[in-house]
């Protein structure tokens, strides 16, 4: 290692000792005979105090290093109650490992707010801000909790293809690509593959991976490439997989609650859940919308805002009209409705899921009802002909979940390098 300690680890136990630190030179305040430098790494900031009478010819060049340059410094750690954290270092050696050019394309500690597009163009600098990196500490906590929880519930992690031969879900929002001499598409979800795995006898599977939607949304909640958390579970109905969902969200909330420094930086309090989470039916949701939506229509943002005034936090909307759900969602006992559900946080739809059709003849009829030719789905239908168990599942966006726990207003805040309808770089 090029350093003996990290900046945020230096404490009173190190007073009087010689340490070597590496990091970004965040700021310099030169008062003539003395200069104060701020050195930052992932753990925090420490003050470097330069004394001109002690350093001689080194004082001027050391006090003139460009901001955000990478430096290695060796010196004695001392107590200084006026310095950040109550400690400082008196440098004896200082080497610039990589000099930053000026001017910076984006300020790191400047108080001037920059537009998100400007920040994303210089994401490598944006991430150096404590309040930005905190979003990704929250995201990492959520992601880790997802894997830990699903494995605890005996789900097997799988990975399905992202290059597919046809629009197997019947949708039009797919990105077409050239696959050697053929046309192919980027998968919009692992839905049909994870159902095939139920026929394969794996019973409980999950995947955390990329998905692609060629939708021309331009909102704070939508991306064209996102990370999807998907599960599929044999011998389960919609109620069972809603239980998996709420327990998973509770585990994620508890994991995020441990990220106290990140939450404090973001000005957020931990989200505390009381299980089971509330469940309302589609009919109840329409009534709660106070005329913002007619029965049989999808819920508009105006309608969900009205519903959110009466609901608080996470909740489910169940028993959706069958006509509003994909062909693979099972009809309810009353065929007017489905075994599909939506999972909400206030007015924002987090995900949808439900119990699937497992009978091949019913599946053929459902395809026809939605104007699709069953013969074009033979590779999907084949596993249903040879022993497909009843099963259910859902898909949940990791990006939007991280956005919720971090309290971000735009999902791009919680995605390192977002891809939307206008952005392909960096």
């Amino acid at each position: 290692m090029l350093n003996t300690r990290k900046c945020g680890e230096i404490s009173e136990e190190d007073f009087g000792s010689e340490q070597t630190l590496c990091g970004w030179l965040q700021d310099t305040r030169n008062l003539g005979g003395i200069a104060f430098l701020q050195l930052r790494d992932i753990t925090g900031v420490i003050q470097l105090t330069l004394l001109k009478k002690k350093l001689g010819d080194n004082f001027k060049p050391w006090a003139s290093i460009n901001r955000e340059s990478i430096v290695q410094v060796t010196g004695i750690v001392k107590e200084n109650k006026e310095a950040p954290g109550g400690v400082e270092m008196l440098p004896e050696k200082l080497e610039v490992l990589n000099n930053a050019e000026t001017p910076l394309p984006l300020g790191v500690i400047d108080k001037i707010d920059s537009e998100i597009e400007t920040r994303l163009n210089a994401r490598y600098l944006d991430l150096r801000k404590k309040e930005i990196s905190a979003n990704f500490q929250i995201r990492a906590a959520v992601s880790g909790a997802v894997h830990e929880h699903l494995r605890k519930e005996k789900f097997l992690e799988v990975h399905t293809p992202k290059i597919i031969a046809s629009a197997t879900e019947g949708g039009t929002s797919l990105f077409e690509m050239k696959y050697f001499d053929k046309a192919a598409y980027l998968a919009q979800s692992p839905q049909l593959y994870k159902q095939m795995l139920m026929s394969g006898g794996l019973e409980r599977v999950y995947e955390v991976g990329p998905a692609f939607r060629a939708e021309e949304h331009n909102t704070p909640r939508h991306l064209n490439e996102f990370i999807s958390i998907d599960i599929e579970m044999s011998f389960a109905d919609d109620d069972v997989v809603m239980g998996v969902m709420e327990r998973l969200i509770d585990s994620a909330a508890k994991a995020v609650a441990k990220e106290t420094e990140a939450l404090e930086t973001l000005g957020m309090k931990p989200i505390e859940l009381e299980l089971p989470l509330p469940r309302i039916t589609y009919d109840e949701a329409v009534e709660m919308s106070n005329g913002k939506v007619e029965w049989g229509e999808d819920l508009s943002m105006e309608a969900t805002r009205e519903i959110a005034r009466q609901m608080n936090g996470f909740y489910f909307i169940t028993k959706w009209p069958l006509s509003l759900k994909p062909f693979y969602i099972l009809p309810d006992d009353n065929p007017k409705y489905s075994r599909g559900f939506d999972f909400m946080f206030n007015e924002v739809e987090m995900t949808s899921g439900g119990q699937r059709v497992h009978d091949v003849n019913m599946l053929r009829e459902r395809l026809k009802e939605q104007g699709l030719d069953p013969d074009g789905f033979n590779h999907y239908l084949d596993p249903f002909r040879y022993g497909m168990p009843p099963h259910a599942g859902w898909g949940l966006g990791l990006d939007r979940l991280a956005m919720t726990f971090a309290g971000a207003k735009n999902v791009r805040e919680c995605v390192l390098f977002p891809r939307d309808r206008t952005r392909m770089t960096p």
Side-chain angles (χ1 to χ4, degrees):
M1 296 293 292
L2 297 178
N3 53 2
T4 59
R5 299 297 298 278
K6 304 293 288 183
C7 294
E9 295 173 352
I10 298 294
S11 67
E12 61 183 16
E13 296 178 358
D14 300 299
F15 291 164
S17 69
E18 181 181 271
Q19 301 292 340
T20 298
L21 305 174
C22 292
W24 287 260
L25 187 63
Q26 177 171 281
D27 199 17
T28 298
R29 187 159 55 100
N30 190 344
L31 303 181
I34 187 171
F36 301 102
L37 283 59
Q38 292 182 351
L39 184 68
R40 182 192 70 246
D41 64 18
I42 189 65
T43 64
V45 177
I46 190 171
Q47 177 176 291
L48 310 179
T49 302
L50 308 183
L51 302 174
K52 186 173 184 179
K53 62 182 180 181
K54 179 181 177 181
L55 296 176
D57 292 341
N58 284 330
F59 178 83
K60 184 176 180 179
W62 289 6
S64 304
I65 299 171
N66 293 341
R67 287 197 302 172
E68 296 304 315
S69 295
I70 302 293
V71 302
Q72 180 188 55
V73 57
T74 299
I76 303 299
V77 176
K78 291 185 61 178
E79 180 180 17
N80 183 343
K81 294 182 179 179
E82 296 181 0
V87 300
E88 67 177 356
M89 173 182 278
L90 301 181
E92 297 176 344
K93 299 177 183 178
L94 195 154
E95 180 183 357
V96 177
L97 301 180
N98 201 330
N99 189 45
E101 296 182 10
T102 58
L104 296 170
L106 182 72
V108 175
I109 62 170
D110 304 276
K111 301 302 181 182
I112 301 173
D113 290 332
S114 300
E115 296 291 334
I116 190 168
E117 293 301 319
T118 301
R119 291 172 40 221
L120 292 175
N121 287 338
R123 191 58 142 169
Y124 48 90
L125 284 171
D126 193 43
L127 290 169
R128 299 181 193 180
K129 302 176 183 178
K130 187 177 181 181
E131 66 273 18
I132 303 303
S133 63
N135 289 322
F136 296 96
Q137 292 169 358
I138 298 298
R139 181 188 175 104
V142 172
S143 180
V146 166
H147 287 278
E148 182 178 357
H149 181 90
L150 291 175
R151 288 171 180 171
K152 183 175 67 176
E153 294 211 11
K154 308 301 181 185
F155 282 83
L156 177 71
E157 184 177 14
V158 297
H159 298 95
T160 60
K162 303 308 166 201
I163 299 175
I164 58 176
S166 60
T168 47
E169 290 192 49
T172 58
S173 56
L174 288 100
F175 287 107
E176 185 173 349
M177 59 173 287
K178 186 176 182 180
Y179 190 70
F180 299 103
D181 59 343
K182 300 178 181 178
Y185 303 90
L186 295 178
Q188 60 185 186
S189 87
Q191 177 60 45
L192 306 187
Y193 283 102
K194 61 181 182 172
Q195 286 189 262
M196 291 183 194
L197 297 177
M198 297 300 94
S199 181
L202 298 185
E203 294 199 13
R204 296 186 181 199
V205 300
Y206 84 96
E207 179 173 8
V208 180
F212 306 86
R213 300 274 172 97
E215 298 169 337
E216 294 190 5
H217 293 301
N218 190 13
T219 79
R221 301 182 309 279
H222 290 90
L223 294 172
N224 296 101
E225 177 185 357
F226 59 96
I227 300 298
S228 183
I229 307 161
D230 282 82
I231 75 158
E232 207 69 26
M233 187 175 183
S234 291
F235 310 111
D237 60 15
D238 50 328
D239 185 68
V240 170
V241 294
M242 281 190 279
V244 176
M245 172 75 79
E246 61 190 5
R247 292 190 297 274
L248 173 68
I249 297 299
D250 187 50
S251 291
K254 289 174 179 175
V256 169
K258 296 177 182 178
E259 300 296 324
T260 53
E261 184 176 351
L263 289 170
E264 183 178 348
T265 297
L266 296 169
M268 287 290 293
K269 294 182 179 180
I271 296 176
E272 297 182 359
L273 302 182
E274 184 177 339
L275 302 185
L277 295 175
R279 301 181 186 185
I280 61 173
T281 65
Y282 172 84
D283 287 357
E284 290 170 330
V286 170
E287 184 176 349
M288 292 168 69
S289 75
N290 292 323
K292 298 293 192 300
V293 66
E294 297 292 330
W295 196 97
E297 296 177 345
D298 201 358
L299 298 179
S300 64
M301 183 56 72
E302 291 78 12
T304 57
R305 284 197 188 103
E306 187 66 29
I307 296 165
R309 292 190 183 101
Q310 303 160 67
M311 306 297 293
N312 185 28
F314 292 105
Y315 61 98
F316 293 96
I317 301 177
T318 66
K319 304 292 184 183
W320 281 72
L322 186 62
S323 60
L324 293 178
K325 289 299 177 181
F327 67 84
Y328 50 79
I329 291 293
L330 186 70
D332 194 27
D333 294 336
N334 179 347
K336 177 181 177 181
Y337 298 97
S338 74
R339 293 288 182 90
F341 61 84
D342 279 9
F343 182 57
M344 310 289 294
F345 180 76
N346 295 334
E347 73 272 16
V348 177
E349 179 190 339
M350 302 297 293
T351 187
S352 61
Q355 187 171 352
R356 323 303 192 185
V357 177
H358 60 278
D359 178 83
V360 67
N361 294 318
M362 180 184 290
L363 198 53
R364 287 179 174 274
E365 292 304 312
R366 290 283 291 128
L367 284 163
K368 291 176 183 177
E369 288 171 10
Q370 297 205 0
L372 300 171
D373 182 4
D375 291 339
F377 288 78
N378 284 333
H379 66 286
Y380 167 62
L381 293 172
D382 280 349
F384 290 80
R385 298 167 55 204
Y386 303 106
M388 175 69 79
H391 59 285
W394 44 255
L396 173 66
L398 174 61
D399 313 301
R400 197 173 287 187
L401 189 58
M403 172 188 174
T404 300
F405 280 112
K409 301 300 182 185
N410 192 317
V411 70
R412 292 158 184 80
E413 298 284 5
C414 299
V415 178
L416 286 172
F417 303 105
R419 293 293 179 260
D420 55 33
R421 61 192 295 258
T422 62
R423 178 171 290 279
M424 290 191 293
T425 59

